[in-house]
Amino acid sequence: MSTPTPNAQRLLRTLIAQGPTYRADLARSLDVSRATVTNLTARLQAAGWIEETDPEPGSLKNLMGTTPQLGVLASVMFLVDACAVTVATLDGRVFGELTASCPDDVTASDRLATAAQLLEELLKDLPGTTETLRAVHLAVDTQMDARSGDIYAQRASSRWFGVNPKNYFAERFRVPVRVQNSARLEGLAEYLWGAGRGCANMLYVDVSYGITSGHVMDGVIQSGARGGSGELGHTVYDWDGPLCSCGNPGCLMQYTSIPAILRDFRMLNEGSEDWEQFRTRCAADDAVAASIARNAATVLGRMLTNVCHTIDPEIIVISGKVAREVPGFVEHAAAVLTGAALPLVARNVRVVSGELDDVLGVTARAGIHSLRAMDDLIVAASSLNA
Ligand SMILES: [Zn+2]
């Protein structure tokens, strides 16, 4: 098919941006008559660029969506012990997801190769060829330069030492690769489908073995100039505090993460307790465990006060193993924050627990959403260039 007409391009862009849409709604979005949309969709369907998606049982109408032939997007995400790959059409319909475990002892290059193989498997099932792949969204659980893909190796991220994940996928699949930090992408998933739904300005905080955050505004993760923002766990609470793995003293994660909580718990007990034992003691209202959990939440609440004074989010969503498993943790951090913050923040900010459980699959889907919001990709796909 030759280059689509301007109206046809607008129709394709609308489907990519909005997802599958009824013909009547397309006419409204494009501000053209229904007859024009009927003609446009007939021509684009004949050319193989759009299709009627599976109708809902009993429905007389069919949604229009883009075909895999027009293009597909892939999202690859790494968490500490697993990777997930999702492939979707440009309009966001997911038609393939695979996951694999990537234990700590797997080398960085083997981890990349595992994910690339999953993606190749998914692409093999496509009606068409791999050339319909338009872009890859890549989320890695370490500090990666969003422009160059370089990993800034430090002790905390040694498992990714010596590779450039962005270049690896760009060279292997010959498509543009957009990168993001996995924790930030989890934040986007909470924004889209979890506790941040309906908010314009959300701060996501994950408190687990480390502490990470992601600031999402109007559906876009605010990653900073090179993706280095959101390292909340390494913001300093006390410059005379315990030494952190990053080399600085007194980082937040030396007070509020699972390793920090267990360190304090073991000091006051037998010296060998694990997280399960800490949880059990918290659930049983044990005074020592409760006091350690309370201190951890207090430090988090104080640090979040600083963050609120800097970015003033509408809502803070606190997730992760600590937030989920320690009773009252989120509520206490919220009380400290609202007690300490200036009135404009204190009276308005909402602090809630995260809602999403299946972090791996849901977060990979958020990568597809990110790609669909990128203008250059939409323009390239809808004008059928590149
Ligand atoms: Zn640190």
Side-chain angles (χ1 to χ4, degrees):
M1 183 183 174
S2 53
T3 305
T5 61
N7 265 347
Q9 290 185 29
R10 287 174 62 217
L11 188 145
L12 291 174
R13 278 171 212 175
T14 304
L15 290 180
I16 296 169
Q18 295 183 3
T21 307
Y22 294 111
R23 286 184 180 83
D25 294 330
L26 280 169
R28 269 191 290 278
S29 294
L30 300 172
D31 197 20
V32 296
S33 68
R34 290 215 190 180
T36 303
V37 163
T38 304
N39 281 335
L40 280 173
T41 52
R43 270 191 283 136
L44 288 167
Q45 255 183 297
W49 305 130
I50 66 172
E51 62 190 2
E52 290 186 340
T53 64
D54 291 339
E56 286 177 22
S59 167
L60 296 174
K61 299 177 188 172
N62 281 339
L63 289 160
M64 302 304 300
T66 61
T67 58
Q69 194 183 330
L70 182 68
V72 295
L73 302 169
S75 173
V76 176
M77 192 188 67
F78 292 95
L79 288 181
V80 69
D81 55 0
C83 66
V85 181
T86 296
V87 172
T89 39
L90 296 175
D91 60 9
R93 281 176 295 148
V94 172
F95 63 84
E97 291 176 293
L98 289 172
T99 58
S101 71
C102 293
D104 229 12
D105 55 353
V106 173
T107 64
S109 39
D110 282 350
R111 220 173 284 136
L112 290 174
T114 299
Q117 279 161 15
L118 295 183
L119 177 49
E120 277 163 359
E121 259 178 66
L122 288 169
L123 292 174
K124 256 191 266 162
D125 294 337
L126 281 176
T129 69
T130 54
E131 280 154 37
T132 57
L133 182 66
R134 293 274 180 179
V136 171
H137 188 280
L138 176 64
V140 177
D141 58 320
T142 190
Q143 281 231 304
M144 176 168 56
D145 188 316
R147 298 183 200 178
S148 68
D150 289 335
I151 289 192
Y152 285 64
Q154 50 163 315
R155 275 160 287 180
S157 64
S158 55
R159 47 196 290 280
W160 284 105
F161 185 72
V163 294
N164 183 314
K166 184 179 185 184
N167 288 351
Y168 178 89
F169 278 90
E171 282 161 19
R172 186 147 172 178
F173 292 94
R174 309 225 162 265
V175 292
V177 176
R178 307 301 164 96
V179 303
Q180 185 54 263
N181 176 281
S182 303
R184 253 66 92 204
L185 195 60
E186 282 175 33
L188 181 62
E190 277 287 351
Y191 177 95
L192 293 169
W193 304 300
R197 282 188 315 276
C199 297
N201 188 333
M202 182 200 84
L203 178 72
Y204 172 79
V205 179
D206 181 293
V207 187
S208 298
Y209 291 90
I211 303 173
T212 47
S213 68
H215 182 204
V216 182
M217 260 170 50
D218 298 325
V220 179
I221 303 168
Q222 308 297 308
S223 312
R226 290 182 173 272
S229 75
E231 296 296 340
L232 184 64
H234 292 292
T235 53
V236 174
Y237 176 66
D238 179 357
W239 286 96
D240 295 317
L243 190 65
C244 182
S245 59
C246 72
N248 279 332
C251 290
L252 171 60
M253 62 180 282
Q254 293 306 316
Y255 301 89
T256 304
S257 63
I258 289 176
I261 288 171
L262 285 181
R263 177 201 61 209
D264 293 349
F265 190 52
R266 286 167 183 161
M267 261 193 311
L268 296 167
N269 288 285
E270 307 281 316
S272 60
E273 285 80 2
D274 63 13
W275 179 249
E276 277 311 306
Q277 287 168 295
F278 179 76
R279 278 184 60 188
T280 309
R281 296 269 290 272
C282 281
D285 235 356
D286 173 79
V288 172
S291 147
I292 290 170
R294 206 174 160 79
N295 286 342
T298 297
V299 177
L300 178 66
R302 288 175 179 166
M303 295 302 277
L304 288 177
T305 305
N306 291 336
V307 178
C308 284
H309 288 169
T310 313
I311 64 169
D312 185 24
E314 178 182 349
I315 187 169
I316 300 177
V317 178
I318 305 182
S319 186
K321 214 168 160 59
V322 176
R324 273 197 298 270
E325 298 179 2
V326 175
F329 180 84
V330 171
E331 291 77 7
H332 184 65
V336 171
L337 161 63
T338 50
L342 291 169
L344 183 59
V345 164
R347 286 182 202 160
N348 295 295
V349 70
R350 282 193 295 136
V351 183
V352 299
S353 300
E355 289 178 3
L356 299 180
D357 280 334
D358 169 29
V359 172
L360 197 59
V362 174
T363 306
R365 289 179 181 213
I368 299 287
H369 178 91
S370 278
L371 289 176
R372 291 174 55 226
M374 288 173 178
D375 283 343
D376 52 342
L377 284 178
I378 293 181
V379 169
S382 58
S383 47
L384 301 177
N385 296 324

